[in-house]
């Protein structure tokens, strides 16, 4: 099954089982933020799709925001911990053993931007996978890391969910006022 098919199934499941929406959003954001899973689980598109159906599907924004932000923050937190714990062997672990440039780029980015790299890296796929683990490897102080981690997690999830919601509203307006006239 392709990633696209898997994403469609997840979105359909959430549509049919709204009670599972928050745990699924938590798991997706966690996987997207954890260094080793983020390359395998591009969950941002599913989060946008869930955002698109929140209004029409009766799914409340605040629980999705909290679940997603906590999932994303815990994913980065675990990546940071792994980086600190396994500092010397990270480069030999997948995906970094096959893509060593991820660690090199993450380290250069972190050295250039400092704690702001945690915030900025959240919004870039390849950096999202490497910056938190490199922060742990370089022993970035815990408090600044966690502040940037949690603040960026809330903003990241809010942006993705709202992007879906606004996109759905724009599509509905476009369909009602423009496109429907061409097809009827």
């Amino acid at each position: 099954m392709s990633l696209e098919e898997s994403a469609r199934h997840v979105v359909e499941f959430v549509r049919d089982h709204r009670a599972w929406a928050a745990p699924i959003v938590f798991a997706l954001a966690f996987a997207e933020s954890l260094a080793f899973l983020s390359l395998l689980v591009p969950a941002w598109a599913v989060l946008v799709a869930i955002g698109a159906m929140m209004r029409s599907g009766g799914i409340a924004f605040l629980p999705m925001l909290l679940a997603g932000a906590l999932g994303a923050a815990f994913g980065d937190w675990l990546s940071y911990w792994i980086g600190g714990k396994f500092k010397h062997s990270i480069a030999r672990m997948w995906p970094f053993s096959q893509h060593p440039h991820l660690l090199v780029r993450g380290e250069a980015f972190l050295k250039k931007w400092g704690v702001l790299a945690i915030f900025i890296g959240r919004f870039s796929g390849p950096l999202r996978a490497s910056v938190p683990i490199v922060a742990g490897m370089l022993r970035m102080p815990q408090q600044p890391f966690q502040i940037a981690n949690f603040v960026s997690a809330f903003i990241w999830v809010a942006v993705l969910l709202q992007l879906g919601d606004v996109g759905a509203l724009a599509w509905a307006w476009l369909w009602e006022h423009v496109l429907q006239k061409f097809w009827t």
Side-chain angles (χ1 to χ4, degrees), residues 118-162:
I118 306 306
F119 190 90
I120 297 167
R122 171 84 63 197
F123 293 88
S124 168
L127 291 172
R128 187 170 37 254
S130 62
V131 168
I133 205 162
V134 170
M137 291 169 68
L138 296 177
R139 304 276 193 235
M140 175 182 270
Q142 178 92 237
Q143 186 175 5
F145 172 83
Q146 293 303 352
I147 291 169
N149 176 25
F150 276 87
V151 169
S152 67
F154 273 92
I155 293 171
W156 179 72
V157 171
V159 166
L160 292 178
L161 294 174
Q162 288 300 308

Side-chain angles (χ1 to χ4, degrees), residues 29-48:
F30 178 82
E32 177 81 17
S33 299
L34 185 60
F36 302 99
L37 291 178
S38 64
L39 298 173
L40 300 173
V41 184
W44 67 267
V46 178
L47 294 172
V48 170

Side-chain angles (χ1 to χ4, degrees), residues 42-100:
W44 67 267
V46 178
L47 294 172
V48 170
I50 290 171
M53 69 178 186
M54 283 188 318
R55 190 178 309 257
S56 64
I59 299 172
F61 174 75
L62 189 57
M64 297 309 102
L65 174 64
L66 291 174
L70 290 175
F74 289 155
D76 271 11
W77 195 341
L78 182 55
S79 295
Y80 173 87
W81 180 84
I82 290 169
K85 182 78 172 165
F86 301 101
K87 178 180 180 175
H88 301 291
S89 58
I90 295 292
R92 293 189 304 270
M93 296 178 181
W94 183 91
F96 304 114
S97 61
Q98 294 180 351
H99 305 282

